Amino acid sequence: VLKGGIGNGRAGRRRGSLTTGFMPNAEVGEDDDGVALNSANILSEQDVYAAADSMEIIRDAYSYFLERSFWRSTPSALGGLERVHKLGVDAMCLLINSHLTAAGPAVRMKRIMTGTEKGNKSAQSKEKAHETRRRLTAALQNRDLLKSVGEYEEFLPLDTRAVRELRAVFECLGSEGCYLGPESNRPSYSPVEIPNNKVTRTEKVGSGCYSNLTKRPLKTGFPHLDAYGEARKAIAFSSMDGYYRQLRTERKRRDVTRRTSMSSGPSTVRVGGEPSDVDGAARDAVRCLEHSMIIVAGEKSIYRCVISPMSSQSRDDGSISRECKKALIDSYSHVVSAIVDRTMDIIEGCYFKEGGLGVSTSSGNPETGDPPVGVRSAASAAAGGFRLLDGVRMLGPSLAKLCELSDSKSDDINNAGSIAASLCISIHRTSVKNTARTLENVAKAIQNTSIDSIDARVAAISSDVVRAIRLLFPFASAYKTVTKRRALPWDPKIGDDASDIDELLRFIINRLLSAFQKKVLSSDFNQTEFSAMGPFFMINNCYYLQEHLGPGCVKNSVDKDEQCVLDKPWFVDKIGKIFEAEKAKYLSHWEVLNRHLTAVDKKDLTYQKQSKKDGQLLTLESGRLIKTRFSGFNEDF
């Protein structure tokens, strides 16, 4: 059918025929007549138009014989026409698959960039959380968002000839031309129903796939749409997966360089990776989210260029069947859902693998032997989760918009139940849920961490908590996103009634002070009513918190908006009161000691006879008198 169509119909009215293209290293065989054939695509553009005309002739002939069903030759003629038509449809689907697969990804590196954009491109692999937030905020204010994010840009990978051939094929098959015979002969199409637009994880974290819904083959009942969906899905998935693997390789190379450049010494292994690992993984996950938007935009340009014109040319009256409308939406959703699904697995992998979300804060992981999550690791995971949630809440709505087909809104058939739309909703849901779990782990880690110091110096947990608060403080907007949709142990209200991030910081400080009180009451300090070790321990740690978090604290960020200063009464007053109370307890012990220090009358002191050059030296008896005065002081001290 693809080689023997007549050329005096619609194909004759097309542009002139093009020269036949051959592949240089194609295998050569022979057909049944002994004619040499090339296994590459040897069709010219005129052959495709002729094949489309031939398919129309077959359909006209089929209708002709249907009207003359009383002829004895009609059954055999109809059967032969159906067989030849099926061969033609299969061949056209192969051509669709060949063109769309050979086209490659619908993204490319940005060609024209200003000096600022070139600097941003090189800095994206090292940018901090506040730099990413500022860049995405500026991108959202730009009317052309896709030109402001990512390192790539969308483009149409098809040349003009491929576009003309694909349009001719889709116009030929349309919604009515891919099958012959009665309606009962057509395969039924039952789209996947997703209850409440909630997609659950069915695959292992880090396997490259979140749900098995995207692994199912596309069977819409329209073979040309199935060929389009399967071809572009494979290309889009490989583009997204290759970009992530490239980022992961670069990050591992930087981590190896950083570790080798560090000074030698005992290294402490933290569950969930070093803090830089978590932050780098979160940064790369946000970059993958940006890249997924570019890929989806590129796939949408292919759909609009090649597939969308078919919707207005399927019937003589310009209408299109309801089944075909649903198949068009699902074929596009099948392509972009693979991109969103891979992005979702990358984001969850950052939470569970680098962030150690699945490891207990009290017992660790018995299967792998990992120790419990400490305060530093839990804080790094929470900061990484906030960074991811920042990207999701800023770019998620735009990604969901790209996954929709705007031309379907005028009809009762829409994108609400598609896999891609449901996955976009699930990205936001899982990000909120996992970020909330990382925050709960910070509180649990503070509670489960034991203070090992045996003296009154500043405890290590104080430094860890100060670092945790500084990491979490800048993410006030992301925290509000969590509390609007999820109740937390320290903030059970949700929605507009939920508190801001100060409630979290207050809870963390209270947990730390409780750990201090527990340490003071323990047997480590040999507490008695005459011991001053406990008050001295509280004084040192409260002063450390005031010095690093209170008003006038040391500068901890180059950005004024990121500067962490707790100047609210709940912190200043509470820490100040505890400090003054413990200082009073500590000084009261000095009053007990001072009662041993009584004055010695000068007349009771005698000196040895020495020269004026050596000065005066007490006699042995006078020295013992002074020492007796200090004996009680030394004993009580």
Side-chain angles (χ1 to χ4, degrees), residues 369-473:
D370 291 331
V373 177
V375 178
R376 294 182 66 86
S377 297
S380 298
F386 271 146
R387 183 168 187 170
L388 277 173
L389 187 58
D390 258 344
V392 170
R393 70 182 182 86
M394 289 182 180
L395 301 179
S398 299
L399 177 62
K401 188 72 174 178
L402 288 170
C403 292
E404 295 178 357
L405 290 177
S406 58
D407 55 357
S408 65
K409 287 189 174 181
S410 59
D411 195 77
D412 56 348
I413 301 176
N414 52 48
N415 309 267
S418 66
I419 300 177
S422 300
L423 283 171
C424 289
I425 297 174
S426 295
I427 284 183
H428 194 275
R429 286 177 176 173
T430 55
S431 299
V432 170
K433 179 186 70 175
N434 291 331
T435 304
R437 291 179 60 186
T438 59
L439 295 177
E440 294 173 3
N441 281 349
V442 174
K444 292 178 182 178
I446 297 174
Q447 183 179 10
N448 297 329
T449 300
S450 59
I451 303 176
D452 298 329
S453 61
I454 58 175
D455 51 24
R457 71 182 65 186
V458 176
I461 192 174
S462 298
S463 174
D464 294 341
V465 169
V466 168
R467 175 182 175 274
I469 291 177
R470 286 179 176 177
L471 288 177
L472 302 180
F473 181 81

Side-chain angles (χ1 to χ4, degrees), residues 174-213:
S175 64
E176 304 292 337
C178 52
Y179 291 104
L180 290 180
E183 295 288 339
S184 58
N185 292 344
R186 302 185 180 186
S188 59
Y189 173 49
S190 56
V192 179
E193 298 294 338
I194 303 176
N196 299 326
N197 292 330
K198 188 175 183 180
V199 182
T200 57
R201 173 175 282 280
T202 59
E203 307 300 317
K204 185 179 179 181
V205 176
S207 63
C209 185
Y210 180 83
S211 173
N212 56 10
L213 293 177

Side-chain angles (χ1 to χ4, degrees), residues 230-339:
E230 294 296 342
R232 291 312 305 174
K233 171 191 171 183
I235 298 298
F237 178 85
S238 62
S239 178
M240 185 72 245
D241 186 64
Y243 180 76
Y244 169 69
R245 292 180 184 274
Q246 175 187 353
L247 295 183
R248 186 178 61 181
T249 302
E250 293 176 357
R251 185 175 74 249
K252 289 183 177 180
R253 188 182 300 115
R254 288 194 302 269
D255 291 341
V256 170
T257 304
R258 178 181 56 83
R259 289 192 179 99
T260 55
S261 63
M262 292 174 61
S263 58
S264 59
S267 60
T268 57
V269 179
R270 298 185 180 95
V271 179
E274 297 285 337
S276 59
D277 294 341
V278 181
D279 186 69
R283 178 186 60 241
D284 290 346
V286 174
R287 294 173 68 187
C288 287
L289 182 61
E290 297 178 35
H291 191 67
S292 67
M293 294 177 58
I294 309 298
I295 299 178
V296 172
E299 295 301 327
K300 197 167 191 176
S301 65
I302 294 178
Y303 176 87
R304 287 175 172 173
C305 178
V306 176
I307 314 298
S308 186
M310 152 190 165
S311 60
S312 61
Q313 301 170 349
S314 297
R315 291 182 177 179
D316 295 336
D317 58 357
S319 63
I320 183 173
S321 64
R322 180 183 177 87
E323 293 76 12
C324 186
K325 287 183 179 181
K326 183 62 178 174
L328 286 170
I329 295 175
D330 289 349
S331 62
Y332 175 73
S333 175
H334 185 74
V335 176
V336 298
S337 63
I339 307 169

